[in-house]
């Protein structure tokens, strides 16, 4: 199973993931306390281990802004968390040739074409709240699981038949990424131990 650590915005965050080696990290370009600018993401990307894939998180962003980040190799994947409809996604797909993830919730989601993965999250994305993982429908496309995953429920999350886990607040202490929590959760996902 893959693991993605979300919401990195400090050099210390990059140093922590470089040591733990998750499969992916996420830079949040949408309004958030974890939001980064293009320049910040570029600087953090240059510090990041090259084997770790960089995912950009967007909420109803201008497609041109996303394309620029892709062209400058600041991100390797796009994750859409807003009200992006099929027309938006198809237009984005015409302009980029990297994987697209569409975040949805189990109570209200559409099937999309031109995406590579779904991400199932709680109704309020980024809230750190769990939802009932048993409600996830059978999917043809692989998906990531997000929403309140931490060291207390990681064993249950690992039982969900998904491509990977997406973790943000579950590896934080007092609102900042915690190096030890990151290392423990990455080890648990990749090697089955804490």
């Amino acid at each position: 199973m893959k693991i993605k650590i979300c919401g990195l915005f400090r050099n210390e965050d990059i140093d922590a993931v470089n040591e733990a080696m998750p499969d992916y990290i996420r830079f949040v370009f949408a309004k958030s306390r974890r939001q980064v600018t293009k320049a910040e993401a570029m600087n953090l990307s240059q510090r990041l281990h090259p084997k770790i894939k960089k995912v950009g998180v967007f909420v109803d962003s201008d497609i041109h802004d996303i394309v620029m980040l892709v062209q400058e190799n600041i991100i390797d994947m796009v994750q859409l968390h807003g009200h992006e409809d099929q027309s938006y996604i198809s237009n984005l797909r015409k302009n980029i040739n990297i994987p697209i993830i569409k975040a949805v919730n189990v109570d209200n989601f559409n099937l999309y074409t031109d995406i590579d993965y779904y991400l199932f999250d709680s109704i309020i994305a980024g809230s750190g709240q769990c939802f009932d993982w048993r409600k996830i429908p059978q999917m043809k496309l692989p998906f990531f699981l997000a929403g309140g995953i931490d060291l207390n429920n990681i064993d249950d999350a690992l039982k969900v038949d998904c491509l990977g886990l997406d973790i943000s607040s579950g590896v934080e202490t007092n609102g900042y990424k915690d190096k030890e929590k990151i290392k423990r959760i990455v080890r648990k996902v990749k090697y089955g131990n804490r």
Side-chain angles (χ1 to χ4, degrees):
M1 186 174 288
K2 306 284 188 186
I3 182 165
K4 184 168 7 132
I5 304 295
C6 179
L8 308 185
F9 61 92
R10 304 175 306 153
N11 287 337
E12 302 95 305
D13 301 339
I14 300 297
D15 295 342
V17 295
N18 283 344
E19 192 172 325
M21 290 300 291
D23 301 285
Y24 313 91
I25 59 95
R26 287 191 329 181
F27 293 132
V28 178
F29 293 96
K31 291 257 187 250
S32 161
R33 66 180 179 83
R34 300 177 183 105
Q35 183 177 12
V36 293
T37 65
K38 175 183 166 186
E40 290 167 336
M42 181 177 287
N43 289 334
L44 294 170
S45 293
Q46 291 168 350
R47 191 179 185 101
L48 184 68
H49 192 288
K51 287 189 177 179
I52 302 172
K53 297 287 185 194
K54 305 167 303 262
V55 181
V57 176
F58 304 93
V59 175
D60 304 319
S61 297
D62 185 306
I63 287 177
H64 176 73
D65 295 339
I66 298 174
V67 171
M68 281 181 24
L69 291 165
V70 172
Q71 289 174 341
E72 294 183 34
N73 295 315
I74 296 172
I75 57 173
D76 304 305
M77 298 173 80
V78 170
Q79 187 164 308
L80 303 174
H81 264 272
H83 299 96
E84 301 90 0
D85 60 10
Q86 184 61 59
S87 174
Y88 177 101
I89 293 168
S90 296
N91 191 18
L92 177 62
R93 171 56 71 208
K94 289 176 192 170
N95 287 280
I96 64 171
N97 191 26
I98 63 172
I100 297 173
I101 304 166
K102 179 63 176 122
V104 294
N105 70 68
V106 292
D107 295 321
N108 181 24
F109 82 97
N110 297 313
L111 293 174
Y112 297 94
T113 59
D114 296 321
I115 66 168
D116 299 279
Y117 310 104
Y118 286 98
L119 178 136
F120 281 96
D121 202 347
S122 52
I123 292 175
I124 303 171
S127 66
Q129 300 296 312
C130 277
F131 64 96
D132 187 349
W133 298 333
R134 296 170 298 182
K135 293 171 86 176
I136 296 173
Q138 292 290 321
M139 301 297 298
K140 289 185 180 177
L141 279 181
F143 67 91
F144 290 91
L145 178 65
I149 302 168
D150 60 24
L151 287 164
N152 295 315
N153 62 13
I154 189 71
D155 290 322
D156 291 329
L158 287 169
K159 294 175 187 171
V160 176
D161 186 20
C162 61
L163 172 67
L165 304 179
D166 186 295
I167 303 170
S168 186
S169 59
V171 290
E172 291 181 350
T173 300
N174 299 323
Y176 292 96
K177 294 295 178 272
D178 182 312
K179 177 179 168 179
E180 289 308 311
K181 286 182 180 178
I182 291 172
K183 285 197 311 193
R184 286 177 63 197
I185 213 155
V186 170
R187 277 197 312 261
K188 180 69 175 173
V189 171
K190 290 189 158 292
Y191 310 110
N193 57 22
R194 293 189 183 194

